[in-house]
Amino acid sequence: MQLTLDSKLIQHLETFPKIWIGLSGGLDSVVLLQLLCQYPALKIKISAIHIHHGLSPHANDWQHFCQHLCQYLGIAFETEKVCLKTRSNLEEQARLARYAVFEKKLSEGDALVLAHHLDDQIETFFLHALRGTGIDGLSAMPVVYPKKHYTIIRPFLSIPRQEILAFAKYHQWSWIEDESNQNTDFSRNFLRQEVLPLIASKWHNYRETLSHTIASCQEVSHYLNQHIEIQSPHLLVDDLLAVDDFTKALMIRKWFRWHGLRLPNRNIIQAIYEQLLFPKRPDHQAQIHWDGAFIMVYRKVLYLEKDDKHFFDSVWDEFPKDLHGVYAEKSSEGVSISSADKVEIRYRQGGEKFFWKGHHHSLKKLFQEWGVPPFLRQKVPLIYVNGELKAVAGFATLQEGGSDLYHFLLR
């Protein structure tokens, strides 16, 4: 019995320096891992990553299962435990936590291979339709999805779960069953257990039919997105005001996707119009929250920032290796740093002074001059050398004489 993957997709995977496989221990990811390991050119690049959510009493057993499977296959295995903040909206919290780990673990140019299959694709289509996420949402999941520094690839998207199950049984492979998959309080499980079987009883080929609908939506979405360029983490209010509402919505959705966020529904887009683009009180600093991020406007610029970023003062022990998104670039001008110096990254407490262009200035005043929004000032890394503020990463570096001069920038 064969489970055939797209040969062009396999060739594309061979171009990546490292391939990470999201391994939950469930049927789909276990089959995906063992199938890809049958390709020698891929196996030497594969590492499996398991996210321990800590939600099930069996979570430790699942981690051990995944670890033993990887030992048996002879591939690298990594695991990361995440802590979810509350018990509400667990589906979404778990998804955000997983992708936060992926963002941290994967390096520039890596591939992340996930085991979503055709049934998952159909469920995603329905969930997005019910949330009102527009044409991009109805496009569901792409097979290949480039993120900022890595690429997501889903080889099973055209394959029904039933075929994956039959293949696993034929080979007598083992996998774990997540008991939460039977809990219909979760939206996806409700669709899977209650709604889709009812649809299948009337429309037997609904998966194939809806996959054609999804493909058509993807074609339209691709065409529209080709005509809208988002190349900056920020949106200019004037650029949005210069176009019609249809184009505004497309720009905002593409901007969210640029940041790796779930596509906003019509209510969120309407809130951006009413509270940020056309506020009744221009002096009111409105915040709109969505998918673990907040959106604000400052000096006619829209900013989108993740809520879950935590900032801690740190000693830069491995200087000049990147730390907290800061990198030190050797330069003909900048701060002189030797191996004996203590380099630290700190964050604003208030009252800091910085020597800039021959004078001492309050950091607050400089931030105002540089146009840094108040809600971002606590997040700007400050570089201290032997206890003295020497640079504001991404904005200004003290100019000193001497050797081993560094300039500090943000990734």
Side-chain angles (χ1 to χ4, degrees):
M1 183 177 183
Q2 293 295 318
L3 195 62
T4 305
L5 299 180
D6 188 312
S7 59
K8 290 183 179 179
L9 198 59
I10 296 299
Q11 290 172 7
H12 184 46
L13 274 171
E14 290 174 354
T15 66
F16 290 91
K18 187 165 186 177
I19 300 168
W20 295 82
I21 296 182
L23 181 64
S24 67
L27 167 70
D28 316 319
S29 63
V30 165
V31 172
L32 177 65
L33 176 63
Q34 298 195 76
L35 199 57
L36 291 183
C37 281
Q38 294 176 11
Y39 297 87
L42 299 183
K43 185 176 180 180
I44 59 174
K45 301 179 179 183
I46 288 176
S47 291
I49 182 166
H50 173 79
I51 311 300
H52 186 308
H53 295 97
L55 296 175
S56 168
H58 307 296
N60 289 336
D61 295 334
W62 299 345
Q63 177 181 315
H64 295 149
F65 172 85
C66 292
Q67 188 171 2
H68 293 152
L69 175 61
C70 290
Q71 288 174 348
Y72 168 75
L73 295 171
I75 65 164
F77 172 78
E78 291 194 29
T79 186
E80 184 91 8
K81 190 168 186 177
V82 296
C83 296
L84 305 185
K85 296 175 183 177
T86 69
R87 305 296 292 185
S88 63
N89 200 5
L90 282 178
E91 278 183 297
E92 185 59 19
Q93 278 202 61
R95 186 188 70 85
L96 290 173
R98 284 195 299 276
Y99 280 94
V101 172
F102 298 150
E103 290 283 339
K104 181 176 71 172
K105 287 283 188 183
L106 272 68
S107 300
E108 188 75 32
D110 288 354
L112 172 65
V113 187
L114 301 177
H116 297 116
H117 47 67
L118 180 58
D119 295 64
D120 295 320
Q121 182 78 313
I122 300 302
E123 292 161 10
T124 300
F125 172 85
F126 275 106
L127 289 170
H128 286 180
L130 293 168
R131 291 171 184 154
T133 54
I135 193 71
D136 283 344
L138 296 179
S139 300
M141 296 178 283
V143 175
V144 178
Y145 181 30
K147 300 272 283 182
K148 285 184 183 177
H149 68 276
Y150 66 93
T151 300
I152 296 176
I153 297 179
R154 300 179 173 97
F156 281 173
L157 269 190
S158 62
I159 302 174
R161 184 182 186 277
Q162 197 61 35
E163 288 186 21
I164 297 171
L165 176 62
F167 184 78
K169 287 183 175 179
Y170 177 82
H171 287 279
Q172 298 183 326
W173 288 342
S174 299
W175 60 90
I176 61 99
E177 295 286 354
D178 183 349
E179 70 277 1
S180 72
N181 287 336
Q182 304 305 314
N183 184 354
T184 54
D185 290 338
F186 297 134
S187 299
R188 186 175 289 272
N189 289 346
F190 181 77
L191 272 174
R192 184 180 300 157
Q193 305 291 344
E194 304 289 340
V195 178
L196 295 180
L198 188 60
I199 291 175
S201 68
K202 176 69 175 178
W203 294 279
H204 305 303
N205 296 323
Y206 81 95
R207 292 180 184 85
E208 182 181 352
T209 304
L210 285 180
S211 67
H212 293 159
T213 301
I214 291 168
S216 297
C217 290
Q218 289 177 343
E219 290 167 1
V220 174
S221 177
H222 177 72
Y223 174 81
L224 292 172
N225 285 323
Q226 276 188 319
H227 292 76
I228 295 176
E229 290 294 328
I230 301 294
Q231 298 179 332
S232 165
H234 314 307
L235 278 183
L236 300 180
V237 170
D238 286 345
D239 288 348
L240 289 169
L241 296 181
V243 298
D244 57 58
D245 286 352
F246 179 76
T247 307
K248 278 189 188 72
L250 288 174
M251 290 173 68
I252 290 169
R253 286 194 176 101
K254 189 164 185 179
W255 183 49
F256 274 66
R257 177 158 278 175
W258 190 93
H259 280 278
L261 298 181
R262 204 158 45 90
L263 293 170
N265 59 32
R266 177 60 62 180
N267 291 336
I268 293 296
I269 291 177
Q270 193 63 34
I272 291 173
Y273 290 173
E274 294 175 357
Q275 299 179 39
L276 302 181
L277 299 185
F278 306 103
K280 293 179 180 178
R281 291 176 49 199
D283 60 326
H284 178 60
Q285 290 291 321
Q287 275 194 20
I288 297 170
H289 292 265
W290 176 256
D291 199 26
F294 67 88
I295 306 97
M296 291 190 70
V297 66
Y298 178 72
R299 293 185 181 179
K300 301 186 77 174
V301 177
L302 283 178
Y303 292 83
L304 194 157
E305 291 292 317
K306 298 287 181 66
D307 282 330
D308 59 353
K309 288 185 178 177
H310 301 289
F311 301 89
F312 304 101
D313 295 350
S314 302
V315 177
W316 202 334
D317 289 323
E318 298 183 58
F319 181 85
K321 184 179 178 181
D322 289 13
L323 182 66
H324 291 203
V326 182
Y327 70 99
E329 182 179 73
K330 276 223 168 183
S331 174
S332 58
E333 297 179 326
V335 180
S336 177
I337 298 177
S338 72
S339 59
D341 291 323
K342 181 181 180 181
V343 184
E344 298 173 90
I345 293 181
R346 302 182 191 174
Y347 294 90
R348 187 166 177 242
Q349 300 297 315
E352 291 90 352
K353 299 283 186 181
F354 184 60
F355 189 76
W356 181 240
K357 295 184 177 179
H359 300 280
H360 285 93
H361 303 266
S362 76
L363 196 54
K364 178 180 178 180
K365 181 72 172 176
L366 287 173
F367 277 146
Q368 290 172 342
E369 291 179 8
W370 295 333
V372 181
F375 48 86
L376 295 185
R377 294 173 189 172
Q378 307 287 2
K379 301 182 178 184
V380 177
L382 308 178
I383 312 304
Y384 283 78
V385 181
N386 300 325
E388 294 185 22
L389 179 58
K390 297 286 188 175
V392 183
F395 294 94
T397 300
L398 190 64
Q399 305 301 303
E400 297 180 329
S403 59
D404 294 325
L405 299 177
Y406 290 90
H407 187 62
F408 293 89
L409 302 169
L410 293 172
R411 288 290 181 197

